[in-house]
Amino acid sequence: MSIDEHKASAGPDPMSDDEKRLHELGYAQELSRSMSGFSNFAVSFTIISVLSGCLTSYTIGLKGGGPAVITWGWLGVGAMTLLVALAMAEVCSSYPTAGGLYYWAAKLARTNGPAWSWFTGWFNFIGQVAVTAAIIYGSAAFLNPLLDLQFGFDVSLGHTFLLFAVLLVVHALLNQFGVKIVSLLNSVSVWWHVLGVAIVVGVLAIKPSHHQSAGFVFSEFVNETGWQYGAYAALIGLLLSQYTLTGYDASAHMTEETHDAARSGPKGIVNSVLISVVAGWILLLGVTFAIQDYGKAVEGGPAEIFIAATGETTGKLLILVSFGAQFFCGMASVTANSRMIYAFSRDGALPFSSFWHQINKRSRTPTNAIWLAAGGAFVLALPAIWNLTAYLAVTSVAVIGLYIAYVIPTYLRLRQGADFRAGPWNLGRWSRPIGTLAVVWVVFVSVVFMLPPANPITKDSFNYSPIAILVVLGGAALWWVLSARKWFKGPKVQGSAEELAAIEQELQSLG
């Protein structure tokens, strides 16, 4: 008897605990569950990507508060972000499903669960699309100076946007190859980031003939926002830190593809933030100590700092190492975004949901959702062709959209009190104080990052993030009032145990 015949006679494989829990949550095991806990952590760590977020948004900190805000703001924001991550991880342990945040909101709400789920999902959707756009546009802006130095490809808004579009297509195509290659590249990415930070900081510590003083790095305050009040400038500068420390909900969205998801997902969320806070602070200190000319650094960012501090050849190497990390980051962001779209459309919450929810039955990846993630990022970043502060606006949209979605389930979990059914990974008696501080922090940053970042306010410096959020969420609200409230009941159950098993059996036979 052949191996295949033996398997057929033995009947279907027994369900794992992960598959049983997914069935309890109402879903079939459609995606390939092939990721380890380390791979799950790697996705979030890669999307946070200190070599991406810290470097591509570094000039925001240089203008808004300078070295003092970069150095101390990072630690303060990092501590508050860790609280948000801890609160999110606890809920993830209870509901390990690709829907993540919007699914949690539906299950945790005492009343009006579908409405909570609907708006959480739309905040998460706009935040995911924005963070994908910001990551990949930032990597294009980082690559452009290297191509200018090497091939004379001038640094301009048009050239940067062209690179952004090309990178978007590459990331979408990579994601089509399947979860295994993405998982492998994400694992490589972790070590690339660790070694990359070590290389960048090590070279910047040894190579430059001149370093800034400790007094400069830890206490120098600079306000180049155009606004009169230094405190206001410092708040704008915090965007560097808060934007970098986003995207760790990816571990939740990948739980349907992760072994021991109820533990691996929460650990991925928390560990990715904790390690990124440490690595990011070391990186920021290294770059700030290496500044040679502050004015030129504001103009050219870390790429200029690398060249000025180490020379053209070594500087190009540092830019290339950093861009490699940013490339991995963009790839992982498209992955996480597509899983969120797949799950949200599975429950009918997006226009043309049946199309976006389709699975490539060979690779078992949500191909259509991957291209919606890329297309949405392209549209959101279009103003970057003419708006000088568009990148800052996109990062603001990412922070506001994602963090509101992050904290709504935490707020609803607080309202549940003792009725909350904790998973195997939980905060115990620390759940309420941590959750309360997380909610307060998110309300604060959501207000701050909708404020105008530069003065005077012109068409070139206008922060269009409130408009982008208003358009998307206004449309979602209108759709809810006119139609969706009548038929959207929150996350759908795909079927009975027999029907879920039939779906999985079909996918296994095709695979």
Side-chain angles (χ1 to χ4, degrees):
M1 181 182 289
S2 70
I3 294 175
D4 289 340
E5 288 173 337
H6 177 75
K7 284 184 176 179
S9 64
D13 294 332
M15 283 195 299
S16 67
D17 290 340
D18 288 311
E19 290 166 335
K20 290 177 183 177
R21 180 56 180 148
L22 189 59
H23 279 210
E24 291 173 5
L25 298 175
Y27 298 124
Q29 184 65 59
E30 293 184 290
L31 300 172
S32 175
R33 194 177 290 273
S34 57
M35 298 182 74
S36 65
F38 180 80
S39 295
N40 181 283
F41 151 78
V43 175
S44 285
F45 183 71
T46 297
I47 294 177
I48 292 174
S49 179
V50 294
L51 283 169
S52 177
C54 288
L55 297 182
T56 59
S57 59
Y58 188 73
T59 55
I60 295 173
L62 288 178
K63 294 178 181 178
V69 170
I70 292 172
T71 300
W72 298 112
W74 177 264
L75 293 179
V77 171
M80 298 308 296
T81 300
L82 187 59
L83 297 181
V84 177
L86 286 166
M88 185 195 303
E90 180 176 54
V91 181
C92 178
S93 183
S94 294
Y95 305 105
T97 174
L101 311 167
Y102 84 91
Y103 183 97
W104 306 345
K107 297 301 181 182
L108 291 170
R110 289 186 178 276
T111 58
N112 300 317
W116 282 108
S117 176
W118 177 266
F119 286 101
T120 301
W122 276 97
F123 272 114
N124 195 200
F125 174 72
I126 182 63
Q128 285 272 4
V129 170
V131 82
T132 299
I135 289 167
I136 300 175
Y137 184 86
S139 69
F142 212 82
L143 179 63
N144 204 166
L146 178 62
L147 296 181
D148 184 20
L149 288 168
Q150 195 68 32
F151 305 109
F153 191 69
D154 295 341
V155 176
S156 69
L157 292 179
H159 283 170
T160 298
F161 195 86
L162 176 62
L163 291 171
F164 163 71
V166 170
L167 287 169
L168 260 180
V169 172
V170 171
H171 288 309
L173 289 172
L174 266 177
N175 271 274
Q176 274 198 218
F177 287 124
V179 70
K180 289 185 179 179
I181 189 170
V182 171
S183 177
L184 173 64
L185 291 174
N186 279 325
S187 297
V188 171
S189 171
V190 172
W191 301 112
W192 186 287
H193 277 81
V194 171
L195 292 174
V197 170
I199 290 169
V200 171
V201 174
V203 170
L204 292 179
I206 297 169
K207 184 75 172 173
S209 57
H210 165 73
H211 286 94
Q212 297 290 343
S213 67
F216 173 86
V217 172
F218 291 99
S219 61
E220 182 74 13
F221 186 88
V222 178
N223 179 7
E224 293 194 7
T225 63
W227 294 103
Q228 180 180 355
Y229 301 105
Y232 184 93
L235 292 177
I236 299 300
L238 292 179
L239 181 57
L240 155 65
S241 304
Q242 194 65 83
Y243 159 66
T244 301
L245 297 170
T246 55
Y248 46 88
D249 59 314
S251 287
H253 295 304
M254 302 304 290
T255 49
E256 289 186 31
E257 297 163 77
T258 304
H259 295 293
D260 194 18
R263 292 179 178 83
S264 297
K267 289 178 181 177
I269 291 170
V270 174
N271 290 337
S272 63
V273 172
L274 185 60
I275 294 172
S276 294
V277 169
V278 175
W281 199 58
I282 293 170
L283 176 64
L284 289 172
L285 288 178
V287 174
T288 308
F289 269 112
I291 292 174
Q292 304 297 300
D293 184 305
Y294 200 91
K296 290 180 179 179
V298 170
E299 188 69 27
E304 192 283 331
I305 295 171
F306 292 167
I307 299 294
T310 67
E312 186 170 311
T313 302
T314 307
K316 287 178 183 177
L317 174 63
L318 297 184
I319 293 172
L320 192 60
V321 168
S322 302
F323 173 75
Q326 293 161 16
F327 184 86
F328 286 129
C329 179
M331 180 195 67
S333 183
V334 172
T335 304
N337 194 354
S338 66
R339 270 45 174 192
M340 186 272 158
I341 291 169
Y342 156 80
F344 206 32
S345 58
R346 177 172 60 187
D347 296 317
L350 289 174
F352 312 109
S353 280
S354 60
F355 180 75
W356 305 123
H357 173 240
Q358 288 178 14
I359 291 287
N360 182 319
K361 293 182 179 179
R362 293 292 179 187
S363 64
R364 296 182 73 172
T365 56
T367 300
N368 296 345
I370 288 167
W371 287 99
L372 177 57
F378 180 85
V379 171
L380 190 59
L382 272 174
I385 297 175
W386 66 85
N387 188 320
L388 296 173
T389 59
Y391 176 72
L392 189 146
V394 174
T395 58
S396 295
V397 173
V399 169
I400 295 165
L402 286 177
Y403 270 89
I404 290 176
Y406 288 179
V407 87
I408 287 175
T410 299
Y411 168 72
L412 295 173
R413 181 261 173 275
L414 289 171
R415 290 179 60 186
Q416 280 214 343
D419 293 337
F420 174 67
R421 180 185 166 192
W425 194 101
N426 61 81
L427 299 173
R429 63 191 179 92
W430 292 101
S431 179
R432 179 164 290 277
I434 287 175
T436 302
L437 287 172
V439 172
V440 171
W441 176 250
V442 171
V443 171
F444 170 71
V445 297
S446 297
V447 172
V448 167
F449 298 142
M450 282 195 282
L451 299 174
N455 186 39
I457 302 172
T458 67
K459 65 180 179 64
D460 290 328
S461 64
F462 179 68
N463 181 4
Y464 68 86
S465 60
I467 295 176
I469 291 171
L470 184 63
V471 167
V472 174
L473 293 175
L478 190 63
W479 189 11
W480 174 260
V481 171
L482 297 179
S483 173
R485 64 187 175 87
K486 301 173 185 176
W487 51 263
F488 182 75
K489 305 304 179 185
K492 295 178 181 177
V493 173
Q494 281 185 299
S496 64
E498 292 75 16
E499 290 168 325
L500 297 179
I503 294 172
E504 292 164 355
Q505 198 67 27
E506 179 188 1
L507 288 170
Q508 287 174 4
S509 65
L510 290 171

